[in-house]
């Protein structure tokens, strides 16, 4: 054996000691412990403004499924001042892991209760006079159709949140509406949830059992639990983007598409396949589950309020959806795949929990550049945008 590989190995191990903070602190963090328990070996640790990221070998996650073929990339409408936003690891100054590794961010563990179900069509009038803590507010549309996933282009505003335990999101959910364990979902969207990540970010979520469990191969956010298989080296669940949209100013966008491909639920973001949920997570013997296809799909905005008074947390830009371009948040080119992988423009209507706080306008017209789209948002209680 020539001395060169040995030297390289020594250098690599010195470097890895250096980047993880030195041998003087041999105690693994809870995040490192969690990865080790999932059999994932950390080859390098890097930092960005809002994340500490462990880089693990792609194949240490198991046998990687074939990704769907690349699509014709989405290009923003040249008639508008719109650009695709850039993820934290796509910045020129970002430090990446060694070739063949994928990023797993260390996370704050947030309570699973904050994501506790799909829009339930309960209007605020139906609620009794009581504390609003734990309430969810929606502008939502759903279709009960058999599908292999769907797609939308999301505006990237930083929604004001009243406190770090509230969240404000725009998302899609691809679901099976009932199994013997409850509904099953794969979800993805754009969220401001400071207790999860201090900057607005994309998220994924899944449940195999009607939002009952939170844990490896059962359900949960991002890569906080096992289940998600990370594929991209630059975009991961939880990653933040820059720059962001400004009201009546330049707009930034994020594309998100779920596709059921070769038995797995792949997610595309900014025209690349970033990872997938294995279909096997959802299997229940003798039943139709999300391991087969989806029978209901949603696009919606949601506010979760953690405190008791009516929340001032904003949806979208904070401007009402009815103000439209270039003030309101939006999702455009909304469509789903039917079971022949035909692209079907969205023709669902949107409803909002309380139109005095958040509202929506929508159009289903595939002849327009934006196809089927919705403007949605609002300032919440008190009517102040950004406060
Ligand atoms: C787009 O926004 C940027 C930043 O505000 C501005 O400099 C530029 O002139 C705008 N372009 C168009 C076509 O409006
Ligand atoms: C799927 O959608 C395409 C249009 O994109 C249509 O031509 C086809 O008939 C649809 N297939 C089914 C099974 O509905």
């Amino acid at each position: 054996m020539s001395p060169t590989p040995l030297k390289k190995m020594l250098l690599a191990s010195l470097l890895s000691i250096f980047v993880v903070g030195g041998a003087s602190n041999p105690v693994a963090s809870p995040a490192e412990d969690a990865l080790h328990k999932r059999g994932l070996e950390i080859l390098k640790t890097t930092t960005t403004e809002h994340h500490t990221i462990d880089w693990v070998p792609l194949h240490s996650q198991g046998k990687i499924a074939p990704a769907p073929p690349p699509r014709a990339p989405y290009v923003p409408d040249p008639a508008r001042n719109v650009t695709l936003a850039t993820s934290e690891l796509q910045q020129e100054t970002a430090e990446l892991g060694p070739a063949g590794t994928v990023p797993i961010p260390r996370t704050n563990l947030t309570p699973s209760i904050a994501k506790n179900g799909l829009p339930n069509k309960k209007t605020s009038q139906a609620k009794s006079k009581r504390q609003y803590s734990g309430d969810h507010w929606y502008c939502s549309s759903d279709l009960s159709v058999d599908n292999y996933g769907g797609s939308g282009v999301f505006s990237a505003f930083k929604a004001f949140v009243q406190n770090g335990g509230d969240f404000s999101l725009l998302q899609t959910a691809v679901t099976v509406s009932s199994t013997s364990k409850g509904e099953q979902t794969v979800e993805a969207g754009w969220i401001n949830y400071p207790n999860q990540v201090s900057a607005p970010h994309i998220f994924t979520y899944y449940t195999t059992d009607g939002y009952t469990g939170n844990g490896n191969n059962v359900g949960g956010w991002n890569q906080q639990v096992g289940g998600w298989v990370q594929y991209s080296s630059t975009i991961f669940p939880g990653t933040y983007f820059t720059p962001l949209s400004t009201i009546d100013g330049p707009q930034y966008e994020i594309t998100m598409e779920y596709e059921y491909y070769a038995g797995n639920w792949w997610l595309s973001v900014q025209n690349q396949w970033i990872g997938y949920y294995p279909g096997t997570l959802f299997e229940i013997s003798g039943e139709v589950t999300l391991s087969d296809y989806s029978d209901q799909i949603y696009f919606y905005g949601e506010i979760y309020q953690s405190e008791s008074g009516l929340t001032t947390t904003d949806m979208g830009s904070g401007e009402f959806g009815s103000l439209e371009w270039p003030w309101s948040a939006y999702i455009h080119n909304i469509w789903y795949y039917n079971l022949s992988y035909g692209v079907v423009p969205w023709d669902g209507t949107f409803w909002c929990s309380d139109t005095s706080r958040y509202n929506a306008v929508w159009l289903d017209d595939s002849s327009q550049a934006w196809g089927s789209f919705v403007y949605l948002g609002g300032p919440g209680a008190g009517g102040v945008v950004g406060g």
Side-chain angles (χ1 to χ4, degrees):
M1 192 195 236
S2 86
T4 321
L6 264 175
K7 254 195 209 161
K8 272 192 186 148
M9 278 167 61
L10 186 61
L11 186 62
S13 60
L14 280 174
L15 276 175
S16 67
I17 288 170
F18 181 70
V19 294
V20 301
S24 59
N25 179 14
V27 180
S29 72
E32 287 171 292
D33 277 344
L35 293 187
H36 290 145
K37 283 201 190 101
R38 284 160 57 190
L40 302 178
E41 182 196 0
I42 301 167
L43 292 192
K44 185 175 178 181
T45 300
T46 61
T47 57
T48 62
E49 190 181 347
H50 299 289
H51 274 127
T52 298
I53 296 167
D54 293 316
W55 295 83
V56 307
L58 170 67
H59 292 281
S60 70
Q61 301 173 101
K63 190 173 184 300
I64 303 301
R71 303 253 167 278
Y74 162 75
V75 178
D77 182 358
R80 304 179 194 245
N81 205 342
V82 174
T83 318
L84 288 183
T86 306
S87 76
E88 63 187 280
L89 292 174
Q90 291 174 323
Q91 307 290 335
E92 274 172 23
T93 54
E95 192 186 358
L96 303 182
T101 62
V102 290
I104 303 197
R106 296 187 186 173
T107 57
N108 304 324
L109 295 177
T110 50
S112 59
I113 193 170
K115 190 110 178 91
N116 72 348
L118 291 162
N120 56 11
K121 302 187 171 69
K122 189 168 64 172
T123 66
S124 59
Q125 286 86 344
K127 291 172 183 166
S128 57
K129 291 266 179 286
R130 58 178 172 81
Q131 294 209 327
Y132 291 93
S133 166
D135 271 353
H136 295 252
W137 309 86
Y138 300 100
C139 283
S140 177
S141 181
D142 62 281
L143 290 177
S144 293
V145 285
D146 292 348
N147 70 87
Y148 280 149
S151 184
V153 181
F154 293 70
S155 63
F157 284 95
K158 178 179 184 174
F160 167 82
V161 290
Q162 189 180 341
N163 65 70
D166 283 11
F167 68 63
S168 175
L169 65 72
L170 305 179
Q171 75 159 91
T172 184
V174 178
T175 78
V176 162
S177 49
S178 77
T179 72
S180 59
K181 293 182 180 174
E183 64 216 331
Q184 299 185 323
T185 71
V186 292
E187 309 180 27
W190 174 243
I191 189 168
N192 192 13
Y193 189 6
N195 282 1
Q196 186 172 67
V197 179
S198 48
H201 53 283
I202 57 165
F203 74 90
T204 61
Y205 186 89
Y206 78 109
T207 179
T208 60
D209 63 356
Y211 299 90
T212 310
N214 184 63
N216 292 344
N217 304 325
V218 175
W221 295 92
N222 299 336
Q223 295 169 92
Q224 286 181 196
V225 296
W228 172 262
V229 177
Q230 179 64 26
Y231 186 70
S232 165
S233 60
T234 55
I235 300 183
F236 56 84
T239 194
Y240 59 90
F241 288 72
T242 51
L244 300 181
S245 296
T246 51
I247 293 168
D248 196 21
Q251 307 284 311
Y252 294 87
E253 296 185 332
I254 297 172
T255 71
M256 279 184 248
E257 171 184 335
Y258 265 117
E259 179 182 334
Y260 179 84
Y261 180 77
N264 303 304
W265 288 100
W266 281 84
L267 178 64
S268 165
V269 176
Q270 306 307 59
N271 298 319
Q272 59 163 297
W273 299 110
I274 71 160
Y276 65 93
Y277 286 113
T280 50
L281 289 170
F282 301 95
E283 280 173 359
I284 304 172
S285 176
E287 292 186 39
V288 169
T289 67
L290 210 47
S291 67
D292 302 297
Y293 57 88
S294 156
D295 64 13
Q296 193 163 27
I297 178 168
Y298 294 72
F299 285 86
Y300 58 95
E302 176 182 2
I303 305 299
Y304 169 72
Q305 80 166 81
S306 55
E307 293 188 337
S308 53
L310 265 178
T311 186
T312 65
T313 287
D314 292 354
M315 184 186 292
S317 69
E319 300 283 9
F320 281 108
S322 51
L323 286 184
E324 304 192 5
W325 180 270
W327 289 277
S328 315
Y330 54 78
I331 312 171
H332 67 73
N333 293 101
I334 307 175
W335 51 260
Y336 66 88
Y337 281 120
N338 65 19
L339 296 192
S340 331
Y341 288 98
V343 167
V344 184
W346 194 260
D347 64 354
T349 60
F350 282 77
W351 61 272
C352 298
S353 312
D354 180 347
T355 52
S356 73
R357 297 189 175 88
Y358 313 104
N359 72 15
V361 295
W362 65 94
L363 187 70
D364 47 336
D365 182 354
S366 55
S367 70
Q368 310 243 344
W370 270 23
S372 295
F373 62 82
V374 60
Y375 287 107
L376 70 179
V384 177
V385 177

